[in-house]
Amino acid sequence: MSTLYMFPPNERPTEDTDTLAGEYVLGVLNPGEAAATRLRADNDPALQLAIGAWQARLVPMVAMLPQPAPPPEIWARLAQDIGMPAEPTSASAPDHAGDQSPEPTSASGPEPASASGPEPVAEPEPEWVGEQPGEPFVEDAWEAVAEPMVIEPQVPVEIEIEAVIYEPERPPAAEPAEAASVAPEPTWADIAEPEPAIQQAAVSPPEPTPAPQSVVTTAFARLTEPSLTEPPTQPRFTAALRLIDSLLFWRAATAASLVLAAAIALFAYINRSPSLVSVAAIGTANAPSPIYLADLDSHASLHITPLAVIAVPSGRDLQLWMLTSNDAQPIPLGILQADGLTVTLPTRPAEGTRFLVTMEPRGGAPSGRITGQVLYGGVLATR
Amino acid sequence: MEDTLEAGDLSALLWLIAAGDHVAFHRLYECQAPRLYAVALRVTADAALATEALHTALLQIWRRNVQFRPQVGTPEGWLVAHVRSRAIDLMRRRHRDGLPPEIFARETDLDAGLARMTASPESARLAAALQTLDTPSREILVLAFLDGMSAGEIAQRLRLPIGTVKSRSHDSLTQLRTALEPAA
């Protein structure tokens, strides 16, 4: 597999731009030149691509270095910082190289699943940002690229859910009129049923609520920004979109309570289509809106609907994959066309199944394994 | 010894990490920490500083202070660039008055380094491309990329005019680009 980054044909940088990018990555520009390059990259996709390509070209040089084992305290500190549960939840996570156990000390304590997101604790602003103009602060260059990757503090989701559920006659704050007109079917009144369950979901962590019969779940991306909630190509999703309108993406590994909240929020909608049993929103982890919606009916027929127009470079295709667990090989499901994809799955995907979208050579990854970059993803939880 | 991942897998890990997946973060650490630590240690020449750099860099990834953008690069390249930047930041802050001898004058065993580059096809390919350069040019690339030295420092170290260092690195990059052009 070639890991060299290939430019889409129409985005190949000029030779000058490319060499500048190389010098930038190599670190031989003087501080002023480096700062100017960084600044220029903010608005120059070709330069961004060239920088990424040079990073990819030069990175194998790292193999020249001897690799002593990193001090175990690095992981010990990180585990504590991130509130890593004492037991790695995956069998594939043995202690690092026989070093001291990576388990966090008791100081971190068990973190409730609902405490989502990186700690809101006053984040020490990385004071060195920009302080060293000579340094290749490469990641800054990515800020301006393509889709908006909004990084926002996480806020309690439950409150928003409550607002939606308990005041059914009031559409979500964003755009009442539109919500009403665009989504004539499932009305808000229809959706209001399962109160008791919801009440608990809003306050309690994973404990199973008397959950409704057929449920569902998921949602990574938040569907808030009205301007970014492109007109769904299929009206039938509109209600679901409105419903999970103010959801922040939930954290895949831990946020059981949020999953449940999302599940219940979607439940009523799903319930109206008896054959429709699961839904997943597929997007980037912290982008404001999903890129695809996936729904699964009781016959294990998966239907993917794009919510936005996605430009794919010529010679490439977007391929859909299913990941049944962290350790499993991703299973290729097919090429996403402009209007989505419908595929019948061999087996019913279980709760926690992830869907990934990667960019691959035209026709899909030839080896049946992911070779390109993962662009989007989403998680399915089915009761 | 190193647990390796395909680019696609690493990309998926970074994606899961951005979504707050602890297990993915731990897996990233297992797979990448040795080489990332090696990068930080080479730049800083100090175990404590390298530890600090790697810790900071990884925590920034977890907290999404920085984010890999799959559209514009490879995950390996991005990860190393990120850790390298943190290491250089810390090294420069520590040594405001110029590089100390343990960095400025340390030996660069190019041959041993090149010999290590046979492990993967990608590194073997780059090693072959580096072999086509003359020794001073190769040394310039290594001092810049791995040691984090500036063009001025490299000039001083190799006793070359700075203009020569710049023109040589410019030429080397052009040569490397051609040599690494995907055969198509």
Side-chain angles (χ1 to χ4, degrees), chain A residues 208-217 260 263 277-278 348 350-351 381-383:
Chain A
T209 54
Q213 15 164 332
S214 76
V215 175
V216 187
T217 121
L260 194 56
V277 294
S278 301
R348 255 204 98 55
E351 177 170 349
T382 301
R383 181 177 169 274

Side-chain angles (χ1 to χ4, degrees), chain A residues 60-74:
Chain A
M61 236 199 265
V62 171
M64 295 180 96
L65 301 171
Q67 295 187 358
E73 77 241 30
I74 299 180

Side-chain angles (χ1 to χ4, degrees), chain A residues 196-201 204-212 260 264 383:
Chain A
I198 290 149
Q199 196 155 23
Q200 287 198 18
S204 70
E207 256 54 80
T209 54
L260 194 56
I264 290 167
R383 181 177 169 274

Side-chain angles (χ1 to χ4, degrees), chain A residues 1-6 315-321 329-330 332 335 356-375, chain B residues 5-12 68 70 73-76 122:
Chain A
M1 179 197 85
S2 166
T3 55
L4 267 191
Y5 193 75
M6 313 271 288
R316 304 293 194 86
D317 271 327
L318 296 182
Q319 188 166 10
L320 181 71
W321 306 77
Q329 284 293 322
I335 300 300
L356 304 174
V357 175
T358 65
M359 187 173 291
E360 302 289 349
R362 170 154 297 168
S367 60
R369 294 197 61 185
I370 292 177
T371 63
Q373 313 294 340
V374 176
L375 299 180
Chain B
L5 284 174
E6 297 282 315
D9 297 333
L10 189 51
S11 194
F68 171 58
T74 63
E76 293 87 351
E122 289 80 20

Side-chain angles (χ1 to χ4, degrees), chain A:
Chain A
M1 179 197 85
S2 166
T3 55
L4 267 191
Y5 193 75
M6 313 271 288
F7 291 108
N10 53 347
E11 295 175 58
R12 181 177 284 272
T14 64
E15 190 133 328
D16 282 351
T17 295
D18 197 51
T19 303
L20 177 69
E23 290 169 333
Y24 177 76
V25 172
L26 194 56
V28 293
L29 297 179
N30 68 41
E33 293 166 334
T37 304
R38 203 155 46 236
L39 211 60
R40 190 183 133 191
D42 284 345
N43 296 306
D44 186 345
L47 181 54
Q48 290 167 15
L49 281 169
I51 289 172
W54 273 110
Q55 289 173 343
R57 285 189 190 104
L58 295 178
V59 72
M61 236 199 265
V62 171
M64 295 180 96
L65 301 171
Q67 295 187 358
E73 77 241 30
I74 299 180
W75 177 254
R77 276 175 68 194
L78 283 172
Q80 191 169 346
D81 291 337
I82 72 173
M84 180 94 177
E87 303 281 324
T89 53
S90 157
S92 78
D95 290 356
H96 176 257
D99 293 340
Q100 285 179 15
S101 160
E103 275 125 43
T105 67
S106 58
S108 69
E111 179 172 295
S114 59
S116 65
E119 309 66 28
V121 172
E123 181 102 320
E125 186 69 22
E127 48 177 292
W128 55 81
V129 168
E131 183 191 321
Q132 299 282 347
E135 303 315 332
F137 228 89
V138 206
E139 58 276 9
D140 290 351
W142 306 154
E143 295 305 322
V145 187
E147 82 272 353
M149 291 263 214
V150 182
I151 297 173
E152 293 180 351
Q154 310 221 336
V155 302
V157 168
E158 293 82 359
I159 292 169
E160 302 289 353
I161 294 280
E162 249 182 334
V164 170
I165 301 296
Y166 288 118
E167 302 179 331
E169 46 306 304
R170 196 181 73 192
E175 28 192 353
E178 195 193 339
S181 64
V182 177
E185 82 159 11
T187 66
W188 295 104
D190 290 328
I191 298 167
E193 293 318 310
E195 258 106 285
I198 290 149
Q199 196 155 23
Q200 287 198 18
V203 286
S204 70
E207 256 54 80
T209 54
Q213 15 164 332
S214 76
V215 175
V216 187
T217 121
T218 126
F220 263 113
R222 181 169 91 121
L223 306 175
T224 321
E225 306 303 328
S227 61
L228 288 167
T229 312
E230 322 267 9
T233 51
Q234 301 215 358
R236 67 199 176 102
F237 283 119
T238 309
L241 282 171
R242 300 289 176 222
L243 259 182
I244 46 182
D245 200 338
S246 51
L247 272 185
L248 282 178
F249 75 92
W250 56 273
R251 302 179 60 211
T254 53
S257 67
L258 302 192
V259 176
L260 194 56
I264 290 167
L266 278 173
F267 157 70
Y269 165 68
I270 298 304
N271 206 26
R272 289 181 54 86
S273 305
S275 69
L276 201 58
V277 294
S278 301
V279 174
I282 301 176
T284 56
N286 49 7
S289 81
I291 309 295
Y292 292 98
L293 275 189
D295 64 88
L296 186 69
D297 66 19
S298 53
H299 307 296
S301 181
L302 182 73
H303 182 73
I304 308 286
T305 306
L307 300 179
V309 176
I310 297 144
V312 183
S314 61
R316 304 293 194 86
D317 271 327
L318 296 182
Q319 188 166 10
L320 181 71
W321 306 77
M322 183 167 77
L323 191 57
T324 54
S325 78
N326 267 350
D327 302 324
Q329 284 293 322
I331 302 164
L333 296 181
I335 300 300
L336 288 158
Q337 307 297 337
D339 61 349
L341 172 69
T342 297
V343 60
T344 299
L345 301 177
T347 55
R348 255 204 98 55
E351 177 170 349
T353 294
R354 292 181 167 92
F355 294 103
L356 304 174
V357 175
T358 65
M359 187 173 291
E360 302 289 349
R362 170 154 297 168
S367 60
R369 294 197 61 185
I370 292 177
T371 63
Q373 313 294 340
V374 176
L375 299 180
Y376 313 115
V379 179
L380 185 78
T382 301
R383 181 177 169 274

Side-chain angles (χ1 to χ4, degrees), chain B residues 3-25:
Chain B
D3 193 357
T4 55
L5 284 174
E6 297 282 315
D9 297 333
L10 189 51
S11 194
L13 274 188
L14 287 171
W15 186 87
L16 291 170
I17 290 165
D21 191 322
H22 292 98
V23 176
F25 192 61

